[in-house]
Amino acid sequence: MIYPDKRSNNRVNFTGEYLYSTRSAGNKVDCNLKNISVTGACIATNVPLDHDENVILHICRGKDMSFPGKVVWKDEDVYGIIFNMNHPDEFENISFILNSTTKL
């Protein structure tokens, strides 16, 4: 069954990014950035993450941009992250990513 898309923000697909998690002890965790929007992202990783775990997602598109957030849902090895946007630069970086990539 196909459900109608109820998203209020466009999603953009990516691959090959990384993150730091609460449990990664300062080590990079490889992830596949499945899509991203103004408010958050969907990633896949083989490193387990917990619900409400704090993460910093890094996206490299000409420059390394980082987005702090937390895990809000998971489905096996796929996780939803909501961003904690507290600084104007973070909004500018998301805007750069969304406007320089083909939307879904």
Side-chain angles (χ1 to χ4, degrees):
M1 175 179 246
I2 298 176
Y3 296 98
D5 191 355
K6 296 180 181 178
R7 296 177 179 144
S8 60
N9 297 299
N10 290 327
R11 297 326 194 234
V12 177
N13 282 336
F14 290 104
T15 59
E17 306 310 326
Y18 65 95
L19 61 87
Y20 293 100
S21 72
T22 305
R23 294 186 288 158
S24 70
N27 296 315
K28 285 183 182 179
V29 173
D30 290 330
C31 69
N32 177 12
L33 179 58
K34 299 177 79 56
N35 63 56
I36 187 169
S37 74
V38 173
T39 56
C42 177
I43 64 162
T45 181
N46 60 3
V47 175
L49 299 171
D50 291 327
H51 188 271
D52 288 333
E53 183 169 353
N54 292 316
V55 297
I56 300 174
L57 179 63
H58 288 264
I59 302 170
C60 303
R61 296 293 178 266
K63 63 179 180 173
D64 185 14
M65 295 171 271
S66 61
F67 303 97
K70 72 175 180 177
V71 176
V72 291
W73 61 263
K74 66 180 186 174
D75 183 10
E76 295 183 17
D77 64 348
V78 178
Y79 301 88
I81 298 170
I82 189 167
F83 295 136
N84 301 328
M85 300 294 225
N86 297 317
H87 195 274
D89 287 349
E90 293 165 339
F91 289 102
E92 289 178 24
N93 288 337
I94 284 287
S95 178
F96 171 80
I97 291 168
L98 295 174
N99 290 321
S100 64
T101 309
T102 304
K103 294 180 177 51
L104 294 175

